[in-house]
Amino acid sequence: MDIKEIIKPENLVYKRTPLMTDATLSYCPGCGHGTIHRLIMEVVEEMGIQQEIIGIAPVGCAVLAYEFMDVDFTEAAHGRAPAVATGIKRLWPGKFVFTYQGDGDLAAIGTGETIHACNRGENITIFFVNNGIYGMTGGQMAPTTLEGMRSSTTPYGRNSTAMGPPYKITEMIAQLPGTYYVTRQSVHKPGPVRKAKKAIRIALEAQKENKGLSFIEFVSNCNSGWKMTPVDSNIWMEENMFPFYPMGDIKVEGKLVKN
Amino acid sequence: MAKVKGAIVVEVERCKGCQVCMVNCPTDTIGMEEEVNGKGYHYAYMKNPDYCTGCTNCAVVCPDGVITVYRVKQN
Amino acid sequence: MKELALMKGNEAIAEAAIRAGVDGYFGYPITPQSEVMEYLTLQKPEERTGMVILQAESEIASINMLYGAAGTGKKVMTSSSSPGISLMQEGISYIAGAELPCLVVNVVRGGPGLGTIQPSQADYFQATKGGGHGDYHLIVLAPASVQEMADFVDLAFNLAFKYRNPAMILSDGLIGQMMEKVELPPQKERVTTFDQSWVTTGKTDDRERNIITSLNLDPDRQYEHNLKLQEKYKNMEQDVMFERIACDDADFLLVAYGSSARICQKVVEVARGRGKRIGLLRPQTLFPFPTREIAKLSRRVKAIMSVELSAGQMVEDVRLAVKGKVPVYHYGMMGGKIHSPDDVLHAVEEKFMGGF
């Protein structure tokens, strides 16, 4: 069968959602940010909520997230996205509000804002991309950098005695009564991508029903920061990140399913 | 028996040549072009077009969303 | 019929906020302004008008809640005192950069550092020169009475929305804590009548997405943005406000704002009783600053004294206005100590009267 016979509008099974803008993503080749952006926009499209959703962009690699997702956006200062989201959501409880934050943003400089927004049970959704490193500023140690892992500020590997160990903020916030749905996902393979998309849907549906705060951590790669090829970085992530940051739901419908 | 045939279209100029689609293709359809695009990346293409089943795995993992997938059932 | 009340300045701000139809307040406790949020929560504004009140986990959080909330195009405010306002400076810079209208109240206390909880005017530089990073200004209003604490809330929002710029009420612990009679403004409906085209409401089909940001990675764009901001600050001059007290025949001019202006008003009274022709110019807006008015008066008076509860901050703006035409002095106590009318009068006589 000729390819031209296949490539016809009636045979279309997958196309990038129009809710992603035409701008070329500013991310490195193979970076999970692009996939996560697209999944969020696919769910927004499927739920038909483009006209009711406002995103909060972080400081970090995703600082320009608003260039790529075709929804209204507010750009927050470093770490402050949950507070910014709180301000919007409190004045517009009927709209959808989400933050999109990296590990330095959410788990270091913005720890206070993260924990208190979770504790208040703000009806927002937090998308947390954990790649174990400060990507945009050049690969420095993040709160999530693994023990022994090299970064530009831990050139001989993270020494937990001197620098403290990596910590799992996702498990921490799952303990707070305000969080409704807490899960950890990845987007490096087709199966995980499909699961991650389901998680995004659950989170935004929960927001629709005012259930409390939903929090999705995506363990993702940073091939530039880790100094690997994109494909190798995904393998390294499976072998090194996943044992410390295990995949799966931590809290479902307000109940802990995993400690 | 019905056979599923697929095809992909790659937006060449948006492809960054990361190869994530290639390693996630279950049928070894995708390869990286020897030539480079305007940005200097070896972009993805159908190396073995006959193998494609239109499973969309490549498209869903593509970080840049550059792959469009088509599928037909053949009798 | 007039609705009169006896209340603290901090309470007057809170009551005026409810009556101005403010949509949201985000705050964090700090002396000497905690009564603002205490009064608000006691009043159940969520029932009175639907106003949202939220106590944040820090001033950093409250200013960022304000940033988010201001992007909804509604009337939102916060209040704090000097150390808390210092913590907010990052957020205020973002708000100014993103051109969001909102109100920040600073009930100033003595510094630097943790300082004292007593009144001070030492945050003048911070309030009028920007405060955070980058080239920007706030609209700064300086109330000198509990009445003005109430009246300036609505005024601040009108100016903030007119220019899409954050406004600050620069008060101090004296005016925040003292009780006075105040005529309360009528209750306004909590509706937004200002331009909403830039607001993040959720992207509708008939427009491009709205983005609230202060980020312009392209220096040409950032340069253009800065030019636009500077043009805006220049335009604000048309909204300058001040009060002239006994200035018409004055030989000597005092310039003072807020609580210091109240003290100076007494100084003028006493000095006039002794036959000394002293006048007082009281800026009600510190940014825009009454530069022209001071320049005008400087052609007629023999000397000027800026009287502030600081080491001399506003005096620099007075000097810029006077351009060396007449001597400009400063007098004022710092760190929470308040000068009395006698202190000021003494300083005035020493400086002004000695040579005549």
Side-chain angles (χ1 to χ4, degrees):
Chain A
M1 192 177 188
D2 192 59
I3 287 176
K4 283 183 187 142
E5 294 293 305
I6 306 170
I7 300 173
K8 284 181 176 171
E10 61 266 33
N11 299 330
L12 180 74
V13 285
Y14 192 91
K15 193 177 190 324
R16 185 174 72 242
T17 167
L19 267 64
M20 289 296 286
T21 67
D22 288 332
T24 301
L25 296 171
S26 52
Y27 306 111
C28 302
C31 174
H33 272 306
T35 311
I36 300 164
H37 284 13
R38 180 165 43 83
L39 294 181
I40 297 168
M41 286 303 102
E42 283 179 7
V43 174
V44 169
E45 186 190 11
E46 286 163 21
M47 289 175 71
I49 56 173
Q50 185 188 20
Q51 302 197 2
E52 303 161 64
I53 195 163
I54 298 141
I56 321 294
V59 169
C61 288
V63 69
L64 292 172
Y66 55 75
E67 297 281 353
F68 313 124
M69 294 185 251
D70 194 18
V71 296
D72 279 359
F73 251 97
T74 296
E75 167 62 47
H78 198 23
R80 316 298 171 218
V84 175
T86 298
I88 299 174
K89 187 73 179 187
R90 289 287 174 136
L91 290 188
W92 267 331
K95 294 193 192 280
F96 292 83
V97 179
F98 72 90
T99 73
Y100 187 103
Q101 304 175 258
D103 39 273
D105 190 89
L106 181 139
I109 194 167
T111 312
E113 286 77 9
T114 302
I115 287 179
H116 285 280
C118 289
N119 191 49
R120 287 190 303 265
E122 297 293 339
N123 273 304
I124 59 171
T125 303
I126 293 180
F127 298 118
F128 167 41
V129 182
N130 171 11
N131 56 14
I133 210 160
Y134 284 82
M136 188 181 68
T137 43
Q140 293 83 8
M141 180 183 75
T144 47
T145 299
L146 297 176
E147 168 98 52
M149 188 172 163
R150 288 182 186 196
S151 73
S152 62
T153 51
T154 55
Y156 306 106
R158 181 177 189 155
N159 174 348
S160 289
T161 313
M163 299 152 189
Y167 83 112
K168 302 173 195 182
I169 195 167
T170 306
E171 274 80 354
M172 278 173 59
I173 63 99
Q175 305 295 322
L176 303 171
T179 52
Y180 176 75
Y181 175 56
V182 182
T183 187
R184 186 181 283 120
Q185 303 287 332
S186 78
V187 295
H188 66 306
K189 283 183 173 174
V193 167
R194 293 185 174 104
K195 275 191 200 160
K197 186 173 167 182
K198 279 185 191 144
I200 296 168
R201 180 78 188 233
I202 292 169
L204 290 177
E205 292 285 357
Q207 188 173 160
K208 193 177 185 175
E209 288 162 28
N210 289 325
K211 296 284 192 185
L213 191 139
S214 292
F215 187 103
I216 305 181
E217 173 180 339
F218 300 92
V219 177
S220 194
N221 59 356
C222 178
N223 48 78
S224 295
W226 298 354
K227 312 215 180 302
M228 297 172 197
T229 66
V231 170
D232 286 349
S233 74
N234 282 340
I235 296 167
W236 190 90
M237 178 172 75
E238 278 191 334
E239 290 174 351
N240 297 277
M241 296 282 279
F242 289 7
F244 190 77
Y245 300 111
M247 292 297 116
D249 292 342
I250 297 165
K251 195 175 193 180
V252 178
E253 293 181 1
K255 290 191 183 66
L256 287 169
V257 292
K258 195 163 69 179
N259 281 311
Chain B
M1 201 183 96
K3 196 179 170 207
V4 180
K5 281 283 296 170
I8 63 167
V9 176
V10 176
E11 277 180 75
V12 170
E13 287 308 315
R14 285 174 76 108
C15 177
K16 293 176 183 161
C18 71
Q19 305 184 4
V20 173
C21 57
M22 187 176 83
V23 299
N24 278 296
C25 174
T27 59
D28 195 28
T29 302
I30 300 174
M32 306 312 289
E33 186 64 73
E34 269 186 42
E35 281 179 19
V36 294
N37 64 13
K39 293 200 174 71
Y41 295 120
H42 297 282
Y43 53 90
Y45 79 113
M46 281 204 288
K47 182 178 68 183
N48 300 309
D50 291 345
Y51 299 176
C52 183
T53 61
C55 72
T56 73
N57 278 3
C58 57
V60 300
V61 293
C62 173
D64 291 274
V66 306
I67 301 175
T68 306
V69 186
Y70 299 87
R71 184 167 60 210
V72 287
K73 270 186 185 167
Q74 267 185 326
N75 285 313
Chain C
M1 212 182 92
K2 283 182 184 178
E3 205 178 336
L4 298 174
L6 178 69
M7 36 172 54
K8 282 188 173 190
N10 287 337
E11 295 168 343
I13 281 212
E15 178 61 33
I18 299 171
R19 289 169 180 251
V22 171
D23 296 285
Y25 171 94
F26 303 89
Y28 186 81
I30 184 171
T31 309
Q33 67 77 51
S34 296
E35 293 86 359
V36 179
M37 189 163 42
E38 287 171 357
Y39 184 93
L40 283 173
T41 49
L42 195 65
Q43 283 294 316
K44 294 189 178 174
E46 66 278 7
E47 288 174 16
R48 274 180 64 180
T49 63
M51 181 183 181
V52 170
I53 315 289
L54 184 60
Q55 180 171 338
E57 63 270 26
S58 68
E59 286 92 348
I60 296 174
S62 55
I63 194 70
N64 282 285
M65 289 172 183
L66 191 68
Y67 171 75
T72 67
K74 301 193 180 202
K75 288 186 192 169
V76 291
M77 65 180 285
T78 185
S79 64
S80 188
S81 178
S82 310
I85 297 288
S86 291
L87 267 177
M88 291 184 183
Q89 290 304 328
E90 178 203 38
I92 294 175
S93 172
Y94 276 67
I95 288 170
E99 296 190 85
L100 298 178
C102 63
L103 170 61
V104 178
V105 178
N106 184 0
V107 183
V108 181
R109 58 191 247 185
L114 206 45
T116 71
I117 57 169
Q118 311 302 328
S120 166
Q121 295 181 318
D123 294 359
Y124 177 90
F125 282 152
Q126 187 194 53
T128 61
K129 308 299 177 190
H133 59 283
D135 280 321
Y136 74 90
H137 288 284
L138 310 178
I139 298 156
V140 184
L141 304 175
S145 62
V146 174
Q147 185 65 54
E148 281 188 340
M149 288 286 258
D151 293 345
F152 283 4
V153 172
D154 197 46
L155 173 68
F157 278 106
N158 286 335
L159 292 172
F161 276 89
K162 177 177 177 183
Y163 293 106
R164 267 191 66 184
N165 200 71
M168 174 174 275
I169 290 180
L170 190 71
S171 180
D172 63 56
L174 195 152
I175 295 169
Q177 291 297 328
M178 74 183 182
M179 293 183 91
E180 270 186 331
K181 186 179 78 177
V182 54
E183 184 188 335
L184 296 172
Q187 178 66 54
K188 273 194 177 181
E189 234 186 300
R190 200 174 58 80
V191 287
T192 313
T193 51
F194 304 102
D195 170 36
Q196 297 282 294
S197 59
W198 53 273
V199 166
T200 52
T201 56
K203 181 193 174 295
T204 46
D205 292 336
D206 57 349
R207 64 163 170 83
E208 290 294 302
R209 63 194 183 284
N210 281 338
I211 297 164
I212 288 168
T213 183
S214 55
L215 177 73
N216 289 295
L217 287 173
D218 175 359
D220 286 333
R221 261 175 64 184
Q222 186 63 41
Y223 178 67
E224 288 301 319
H225 182 58
N226 272 281
L227 288 179
K228 185 184 152 206
L229 291 180
Q230 292 305 317
E231 185 66 27
K232 183 166 85 171
Y233 303 142
K234 210 163 166 278
N235 284 339
M236 287 175 186
E237 278 174 29
Q238 60 184 292
D239 284 300
V240 72
M241 283 171 57
F242 52 83
E243 189 186 4
R244 289 166 52 121
I245 296 164
C247 284
D248 289 346
D249 66 340
D251 292 329
F252 307 101
L253 181 69
L254 302 180
V255 183
Y257 69 93
S259 51
S260 192
R262 293 173 71 97
I263 296 159
C264 287
Q265 215 171 331
K266 187 73 187 170
V267 173
V268 170
E269 215 181 286
V270 174
R272 290 257 165 193
R274 296 179 192 171
K276 311 286 187 191
R277 291 204 301 241
I278 292 186
L280 167 64
L281 183 83
R282 178 173 78 88
Q284 290 165 300
T285 57
L286 297 174
F287 192 94
F289 191 70
T291 306
R292 283 165 199 265
E293 187 63 20
I294 292 171
K296 216 163 76 186
L297 288 166
S298 72
R299 286 184 215 117
R300 292 219 329 266
V301 300
K302 298 189 174 73
I304 298 177
M305 182 179 272
S306 177
V307 185
E308 316 161 49
L309 294 167
S310 75
Q313 300 192 10
M314 181 176 70
V315 66
E316 295 190 2
D317 286 332
V318 176
R319 286 193 178 118
L320 284 171
V322 171
K323 290 183 180 162
K325 282 198 279 287
V326 292
V328 176
Y329 305 104
H330 162 261
Y331 178 77
M333 291 193 174
M334 309 173 265
K337 256 178 92 72
I338 303 166
H339 37 249
S340 67
D342 277 349
D343 294 329
V344 180
L345 203 55
H346 183 71
V348 166
E349 282 173 345
E350 228 179 29
K351 292 279 186 206
F352 293 180
M353 310 307 175
F356 286 86

